[in-house]
Amino acid sequence: MTDLVEAKQHAITAYTDAERRLIRETFARGTTDDQFALYLWTARSRGLDPRAGQIHAVVRKARVKDERGNWVERPQMTIQTGIDGYRLIAQRSGEYEGKAGPYWCGPDGVWQDVWVKDEPPFAAKVGVRRRGDADYSWHVALYREYVQLVDEYDENGRRTGAKVPNAMWAKSPANMLAKCAEAGALRSRFPEDLAGIYVDAEYAVVAAIDEANEQRARGAERVIQRPRAKSATKEVAAAAVVDEDGVIVEEHVSPAPDGSGFTAFWIELQEMLDGSPWDLGHVGMVLNCGSNPADFERWWEANRERGNLLAYIRRKLEALQ
């Protein structure tokens, strides 16, 4: 029996009314009754104690469709923990075999094991190894994708219209970015225990996932609306034999119809997700890319020669269940 299973079995399964009120007011403020129940269930299932501040809920407004199909603002909950909570969950699995890094780099792409410059790093990376892995699995976090921005104010307390890093990101950009890189690496190797939970430093990415999901629901993604060329004919693998990873092992190349590039892939991805338990956030997580359409397009450009990418994505998503 692993330490994680033992922790789950010994986790608190009931709270007094006073404890529930204290937990909700301190670590899950603004949640609905259903959201609060889900928050407590997640804490128990992961063996984390809300009273120790190991896990908390963040509620913000999100635009969703109501029962009549009208767009309304409703509270959206994200369950978050600190990086220490992530490490604890991984260690309790009994399969965590350590990490490499963090490392940071500037725009030159030269990785360093300490960041001494005054300006924020361009990126950070951390490697995580799980039992049975031949090498570390790396996750790279780009500063521009993770930094949390807030409105800038002048000396008179008026908004300037600009966005600046919040207090923590302004004070410790290298440390905050390293947390995001480690969280992404841990989640990629322990998806069954960490899926659906984010580290507090990843708030900007969570907000981007919500925005991407709203765009998907509205059917107004920018990439789908791009005009197609009147005569676009490419040679692609229209018929192929693929292995279990979705990689082509035998291909028969034939002309592909107009729209067989990223736009067609994007539309097919939406259709695959419709009615499934997954969303764009899950896809971005398993692919270790961002959550915006532009991020998916960059991933598609880098991997389109591999073969059946949708089959590959489905296999990665099914591994989360």
Side-chain angles (χ1 to χ4, degrees):
M1 181 180 298
T2 67
D3 293 339
L4 180 58
V5 173
E6 291 177 353
K8 290 180 180 179
Q9 289 184 347
H10 289 87
I12 296 176
T13 57
Y15 300 94
T16 66
D17 289 342
E19 286 176 326
R20 290 173 64 89
R21 285 194 298 270
L22 178 62
I23 292 170
R24 190 169 189 173
E25 179 64 23
T26 307
F27 302 110
R29 181 177 297 181
T31 55
T32 65
D33 290 343
D34 288 342
Q35 289 172 340
F36 184 60
L38 176 59
Y39 162 73
L40 291 181
W41 176 87
T42 302
R44 288 195 297 267
S45 68
R46 301 307 195 274
L48 298 178
D49 189 349
R51 298 169 303 176
Q54 293 178 339
I55 186 169
H56 52 277
V58 176
V59 178
R60 60 193 176 281
K61 295 293 185 180
R63 291 182 59 81
V64 297
K65 279 190 175 181
D66 62 14
E67 295 77 7
R68 297 182 177 180
N70 300 317
W71 286 95
V72 297
E73 282 195 347
R74 286 183 176 170
Q76 181 75 35
M77 179 184 70
T78 299
I79 298 177
Q80 297 183 351
T81 183
I83 192 63
D84 288 338
Y86 251 46
R87 293 167 180 163
L88 178 62
I89 293 173
Q91 289 170 354
R92 284 176 174 171
S93 72
E95 297 188 3
Y96 177 61
E97 295 192 348
K99 68 172 184 175
Y103 301 101
W104 298 268
C105 75
D108 57 6
V110 178
W111 294 102
Q112 307 171 37
D113 56 8
V114 62
W115 188 255
V116 297
K117 297 181 180 180
D118 292 333
E119 66 268 20
F122 184 81
K125 71 174 181 179
V126 169
V128 165
R129 186 156 57 189
R130 185 170 183 167
R131 181 184 299 168
D133 291 348
D135 200 352
Y136 291 99
S137 294
W138 295 88
H139 182 81
V140 177
L142 300 180
Y143 177 81
R144 67 172 182 266
E145 293 182 351
Y146 284 87
V147 61
Q148 297 174 27
L149 301 176
V150 294
D151 290 325
E152 181 185 53
Y153 291 85
D154 61 21
E155 62 276 8
N156 298 316
R158 293 175 298 189
R159 293 179 180 175
T160 66
K163 295 285 188 178
V164 295
N166 68 12
M168 287 301 298
W169 279 87
K171 180 181 179 181
S172 308
N175 183 51
M176 296 294 285
L177 195 59
K179 290 181 181 180
C180 296
E182 184 176 353
L186 285 167
R187 193 163 52 240
S188 70
R189 295 306 299 121
F190 297 90
E192 67 274 21
D193 293 315
L194 295 175
I197 303 178
Y198 292 86
V199 169
D200 44 17
E202 297 180 288
Y203 181 85
V205 171
V206 174
I209 290 174
D210 284 347
E211 180 181 355
N213 286 334
E214 179 184 334
Q215 288 179 349
R216 173 178 170 239
R218 286 176 175 270
E221 287 84 351
R222 172 185 57 81
V223 294
I224 292 180
Q225 295 179 345
R226 292 182 305 182
R228 296 176 179 177
K230 292 183 179 179
S231 58
T233 308
K234 302 184 199 176
E235 284 196 347
V236 299
V241 178
V242 300
D243 64 13
E244 62 178 4
D245 290 325
V247 179
I248 293 178
V249 295
E250 178 184 350
E251 61 181 334
H252 306 283
V253 179
S254 60
D258 177 33
S260 62
F262 175 71
T263 300
F265 164 79
W266 184 256
I267 294 173
E268 291 173 359
L269 177 61
Q270 312 304 309
E271 293 174 347
M272 185 181 79
L273 294 176
D274 285 341
S276 77
W278 312 303
D279 57 26
L280 291 175
H282 292 101
V283 178
M285 179 184 69
V286 299
L287 298 181
N288 278 333
C289 70
S291 57
N292 294 318
D295 298 320
F296 286 112
E297 185 166 13
R298 284 192 293 270
W299 181 88
W300 176 84
E301 287 285 354
N303 294 275
R304 58 179 175 174
E305 302 300 329
R306 294 189 61 186
N308 191 336
L309 296 182
L310 290 175
Y312 172 77
I313 293 172
R314 176 175 289 278
R315 175 176 170 273
K316 298 286 283 186
L317 290 172
E318 289 174 345
L320 295 177
Q321 296 182 324

